[in-house]
Amino acid sequence: MNMVPTPNTFCLVKGAGEARTRLNAFDKALLAAGIGDTNIVRMSSIVPPSARRVDTVDLPKGGLIPTAYAHIDSETSGEIISAAVAVALPEDPSLPGVIMEHEDTQPLSVVENKVRQMAEDAFTYRNRTLKDLFSIGIEYQVNKCGAVFAGAVLWYE
Amino acid sequence: MNMVPTPNTFCLVKGAGEARTRLNAFDKALLAAGIGDTNIVRMSSIVPPSARRVDTVDLPKGGLIPTAYAHIDSETSGEIISAAVAVALPEDPSLPGVIMEHEDTQPLSVVENKVRQMAEDAFTYRNRTLKDLFSIGIEYQVNKCGAVFAGAVLWYE
Amino acid sequence: MNMVPTPNTFCLVKGAGEARTRLNAFDKALLAAGIGDTNIVRMSSIVPPSARRVDTVDLPKGGLIPTAYAHIDSETSGEIISAAVAVALPEDPSLPGVIMEHEDTQPLSVVENKVRQMAEDAFTYRNRTLKDLFSIGIEYQVNKCGAVFAGAVLWYE
C-alpha cells in the first residue's frame, strides 16, 4: 500500500486582503495568513486522530498543502465580510476531529458563533464526546475589492 | 521522479443527510456514504488503467482521499434532490476509465440516466470501446435542510 | 517528516471543447489540452522555487495532477468565452513564482491582458522582482454547449 500520508498537525490561520481583483485580494489574504506562497489544496474537513495543534507551521514554498477553509470576497465598498473556521476535538484520541467553515457578509461574532455551533453539531450527530473547541476568524470592511480567509492547514511533523 | 502514487482501486458511495446548515447536511451525507471521517479532495474524473472496483474501502481516518463526486443541497422543504456518478470502463485494460458526475432537483431516474449518457459520450469522443458502465446515485426529499452526495473514491490496495 | 513532494516542473496547457453537457465540454477541453485522461486536483497557485518550465509533460493516466486553472463554459450559442493563466517568475531562484487565472465572456486579448496584470500585481505587493512573465489562453465561440480551459500543471522530473 502506497499513498499520501495522513497529516499529523494542524494550524489555524486567517488573513484579509485588498487588491484590484478578487483573486488578487484572495492571494493577499493568503499572504496575510502566512500561507500565500504555498499551493493550498481544498479538502473536506477532518482533523486526523491525535493530530497536534501547532501555532505556526513551516511550509515548503510552492508545496501542496491540504487545507479546509472559509473565504469570501466583495467589491461593495463599505461592506463587512467575515470568514471563520472551528475545530472540534474528541475526548477519545483514536477518533478524528471535525473542521467546519463559514463565511458571510456579517460581523465576525455572528459568523464565528455559527461555525462553532456547526462544529458542535457535527460531534452531536457523530455521538462523539467533545474535548476542545477552537475557532479562528477575521472580519474586514471592504474598501473597493476585499477578501477574507480563515483556514485549518494540515501538515506533518 | 517522486510523486503522489496513482490509485489502483475505486469504490462507489452515496449518502443523504439532513441538518441545521447546508455544510452539516453535506457532512452527514458523507457520513452516510461511509467517508464522513476522511478528508475528501475533489478531482476530475478518471479511473486509472486496470484499477479494480471494490465494494468497500477501509480509509484512514482523516486521510486525504481523492474523490470525484456530485452533490446538491437545498433548504426548500419538500424539494427532491438527486446526485449520481457513472463510471465507464474500457475493453483495453491499459486505458483509463471515465467518471462523470451530475446532480439536480430531479428524480434519481432522470439524474442517473443523464450521468450514464454523459459517461458513454466521454467514451464516444475518446473513440474508446466501452466494456462496463456502472452508476450509483441517491434521491432525497428535503425536510428543512438536506444534502445528497454520490462519489467515486480512488484508493490503494 | 513524510509528505507530498513539492513539484519541480510546470507546463502551460489550453483547450476548448463542445459537447452535449457542460461537464462533457469541460472534459473535451481537458482532452484538447492534453490532460484529459488524468485527475486534475485544483490548487492555489504558486510555482515552486526553481521549478523548470517544460513544453510537454508525460503524465500518468489517471494520476493525481496538481493544477492551477481557469475555465468557463456556456450554453449561449454564439457567445465568446475565454480562459487564460499567467505565470510570473522571480529574479531570485530561491523564491516562488505566482500563477494567476482569469476567465470571462470576453475576447482572449482582454482576458489575457488582465491575467498578466494580475500576475504582475501579485509580484508588486510581494516586493518581488519579476524576471519572466508567461501566459497562455484560449478563446472559443460557443456553438451549443462549449467550454474553455487554460492551466498550469505542476509535475516532477
Side-chain angles (χ1 to χ4, degrees):
Chain A
M1 194 161 55
N2 193 3
M3 67 178 81
V4 177
T6 298
N8 56 16
T9 66
F10 70 96
C11 183
L12 302 185
V13 297
K14 62 175 179 171
E18 175 91 26
R20 292 203 285 180
T21 71
R22 289 169 185 262
L23 185 57
N24 283 292
F26 179 68
D27 181 44
K28 284 185 81 171
L30 292 179
L31 285 168
I35 58 171
D37 276 330
T38 70
N39 286 305
I40 60 172
V41 178
R42 199 171 200 173
M43 51 161 223
S44 80
S45 296
I46 297 296
V47 178
S50 300
R52 197 170 74 84
R53 185 182 180 185
V54 294
D55 290 330
T56 60
V57 58
D58 186 27
L59 299 169
K61 288 181 174 65
L64 301 166
I65 314 298
T67 306
Y69 60 90
H71 76 115
I72 182 171
D73 55 37
S74 167
E75 294 187 305
T76 303
S77 187
E79 190 166 51
I80 294 290
I81 52 176
S82 299
V85 296
V87 174
L89 297 180
E91 281 286 355
D92 181 345
S94 73
L95 294 176
V98 174
I99 309 163
M100 284 281 154
E101 312 93 34
H102 188 54
E103 61 274 301
D104 204 348
T105 54
Q106 296 279 342
L108 177 58
S109 58
V110 174
V111 169
E112 193 161 358
N113 282 342
K114 182 166 178 182
V115 80
R116 290 174 69 91
Q117 184 62 57
M118 290 164 66
E120 286 189 30
D121 283 7
F123 262 47
T124 300
Y125 54 65
R126 277 173 172 79
N127 297 311
R128 195 166 296 169
T129 306
L130 185 68
K131 182 181 179 191
D132 290 311
L133 182 63
F134 302 115
S135 58
I136 193 170
I138 185 162
E139 173 183 317
Y140 179 71
Q141 187 170 17
V142 176
N143 183 9
K144 286 185 173 171
C145 175
V148 288
F149 172 92
V153 171
L154 301 191
W155 203 239
Y156 306 90
E157 67 175 9
Chain B
M1 194 161 57
N2 192 3
M3 68 178 80
V4 177
T6 298
N8 56 16
T9 65
F10 70 96
C11 183
L12 302 184
V13 297
K14 63 175 178 171
E18 176 92 26
R20 293 202 285 179
T21 71
R22 289 170 184 261
L23 185 57
N24 283 292
F26 179 68
D27 180 44
K28 285 185 81 171
L30 292 179
L31 285 167
I35 59 171
D37 276 329
T38 70
N39 286 305
I40 60 173
V41 178
R42 199 170 199 174
M43 50 160 224
S44 80
S45 294
I46 297 296
V47 177
S50 300
R52 197 170 74 83
R53 185 182 180 185
V54 293
D55 290 330
T56 60
V57 58
D58 186 28
L59 298 170
K61 289 181 174 63
L64 300 166
I65 314 299
T67 306
Y69 60 91
H71 77 114
I72 183 171
D73 55 38
S74 167
E75 295 187 304
T76 303
S77 186
E79 190 166 51
I80 294 290
I81 51 176
S82 298
V85 296
V87 174
L89 296 181
E91 281 286 355
D92 180 344
S94 73
L95 294 176
V98 173
I99 309 162
M100 284 280 155
E101 312 94 34
H102 188 54
E103 61 275 300
D104 205 348
T105 54
Q106 296 279 341
L108 177 58
S109 59
V110 175
V111 170
E112 193 161 358
N113 282 344
K114 183 165 179 183
V115 81
R116 290 173 70 91
Q117 184 61 58
M118 290 164 66
E120 287 188 29
D121 283 6
F123 262 46
T124 301
Y125 54 66
R126 277 174 173 79
N127 297 311
R128 196 166 295 169
T129 306
L130 185 68
K131 181 181 179 192
D132 290 311
L133 181 65
F134 302 114
S135 57
I136 193 171
I138 186 162
E139 173 183 317
Y140 179 70
Q141 187 171 18
V142 176
N143 184 8
K144 287 186 173 170
C145 176
V148 287
F149 171 92
V153 171
L154 301 190
W155 202 238
Y156 307 89
E157 67 175 7
Chain C
M1 194 160 57
N2 192 3
M3 67 177 80
V4 178
T6 299
N8 56 16
T9 66
F10 69 97
C11 183
L12 302 184
V13 297
K14 63 174 178 171
E18 176 92 27
R20 293 203 284 179
T21 72
R22 289 169 184 261
L23 185 58
N24 283 293
F26 178 69
D27 181 45
K28 284 185 82 171
L30 292 179
L31 285 167
I35 59 172
D37 276 330
T38 70
N39 285 305
I40 60 172
V41 178
R42 199 170 200 175
M43 50 160 223
S44 79
S45 292
I46 298 297
V47 177
S50 299
R52 197 170 74 84
R53 185 181 180 185
V54 294
D55 289 331
T56 60
V57 58
D58 185 28
L59 299 169
K61 289 181 174 65
L64 301 166
I65 314 299
T67 306
Y69 60 91
H71 76 115
I72 183 171
D73 54 37
S74 167
E75 295 186 305
T76 302
S77 186
E79 189 165 53
I80 294 290
I81 52 176
S82 298
V85 296
V87 174
L89 296 181
E91 281 286 356
D92 180 344
S94 73
L95 294 176
V98 174
I99 309 162
M100 283 281 154
E101 311 94 35
H102 188 54
E103 60 275 300
D104 205 348
T105 54
Q106 296 279 340
L108 177 58
S109 58
V110 174
V111 169
E112 193 161 358
N113 283 342
K114 182 166 179 183
V115 81
R116 290 174 70 91
Q117 184 61 59
M118 290 164 66
E120 286 190 30
D121 284 6
F123 262 47
T124 301
Y125 54 66
R126 278 173 172 80
N127 297 312
R128 196 166 295 168
T129 306
L130 185 68
K131 183 181 179 190
D132 289 312
L133 182 63
F134 302 114
S135 58
I136 193 170
I138 186 162
E139 174 183 317
Y140 179 72
Q141 187 171 18
V142 176
N143 184 10
K144 287 186 173 169
C145 176
V148 288
F149 171 92
V153 171
L154 301 190
W155 202 238
Y156 306 89
E157 67 175 8

